[in-house]
Amino acid sequence: MALKADLSCPAEVIRLFDEAESQLGGLDIVVASAADIMVRPLVDCTEEDYDRIFNTNTKGVFFTLKEAAKRLSDGGRIIVVSTGGTRMFFPDQSLYLGSKGAIEQFVRCLAWELGKRNITVNAVSPGPTETDMMQDRYCDRAAAMSPFNRLGQPQDIADVAVFLASDAGRWVTGQNIGAGGGAF
């Protein structure tokens, strides 16, 4: 089942959760994975650039977490996809990395807020991964960042999320798990 929503609009997030609950019943696991990237020096970024990146990467995740916190079953799991870039130094990515740094702090705070309900809240931070966001011109350099000398595959990241969503991840909360193939 696929549901579509503009996560930068809080009303759309609420509608998404309403539809998911209608189709599935109660919710046990929520994965917030929103990303828009802009490669541009900070001094060249406009207010419109800021709004675009932060509306998707930060505002959208914030309101997803808010709804998840209200609706998730006790003992549930929340997983947020961030980026290993927040642990590294990349010029020209201040908006992207700033927006992802913010969601990492949401994770830390929300883990404490939901702990009494035994809900875990964690981030997964992928390293260079072969997705639509990876531009061809960066592939070789990005692959060389890993001791495995390859880009991560979406399944590499998904496996970490599956661990966190499973009962095996019940004692992990408020963490940012690196899934970077050794790149950071």
Side-chain angles (χ1 to χ4, degrees):
M1 175 182 68
L3 302 173
K4 185 177 179 179
D6 178 354
L7 297 183
S8 69
C9 177
E12 284 283 294
V13 174
I14 292 168
R15 183 190 55 75
L16 177 69
F17 273 84
D18 287 345
E19 285 186 30
E21 285 179 330
S22 169
Q23 297 284 333
L24 303 171
L27 300 176
D28 297 313
I29 301 165
V30 171
V31 178
S33 178
D36 191 358
I37 191 168
M38 175 177 294
V39 179
R40 182 174 299 152
L42 184 140
V43 299
D44 294 335
C45 292
T46 66
E47 182 177 0
E48 292 79 18
D49 297 336
Y50 178 93
D51 289 345
R52 186 185 106 205
I53 298 299
F54 272 77
N55 280 347
T56 299
N57 298 354
T58 310
K59 182 178 180 182
V61 170
F62 176 85
F63 284 101
T64 299
L65 294 176
K66 181 177 176 179
E67 285 304 307
K70 291 193 291 189
R71 298 175 188 236
L72 210 59
S73 304
D74 289 357
R77 304 285 190 260
I78 298 174
I79 301 154
V80 177
V81 179
S82 186
T83 177
T86 60
R87 301 179 188 188
M88 304 164 81
F89 297 99
F90 291 109
D92 304 335
Q93 293 188 23
S94 58
L95 286 179
Y96 175 69
L97 297 176
S99 69
K100 290 297 189 171
I103 66 171
E104 291 172 9
Q105 296 308 308
F106 297 162
V107 165
R108 294 178 69 182
C109 293
L110 193 57
W112 278 95
E113 294 171 20
L114 297 180
K116 61 188 166 283
R117 293 178 46 208
N118 290 314
I119 294 173
T120 65
V121 185
N122 292 290
V124 175
S125 287
T129 306
E130 192 173 319
T131 67
D132 292 343
M133 286 181 57
M134 176 58 67
Q135 297 176 5
D136 289 340
R137 63 185 171 148
Y138 296 123
C139 285
D140 291 340
R141 188 169 72 199
M145 295 169 68
S146 168
F148 300 125
N149 199 34
R150 69 173 178 84
L151 293 174
Q153 296 299 306
Q155 188 64 46
D156 297 326
I157 312 313
D159 288 344
V160 176
V162 167
F163 162 74
L164 291 171
S166 76
D167 191 51
R170 70 188 171 279
W171 193 239
V172 180
T173 196
Q175 300 302 303
N176 182 354
I177 309 298
F184 52 89

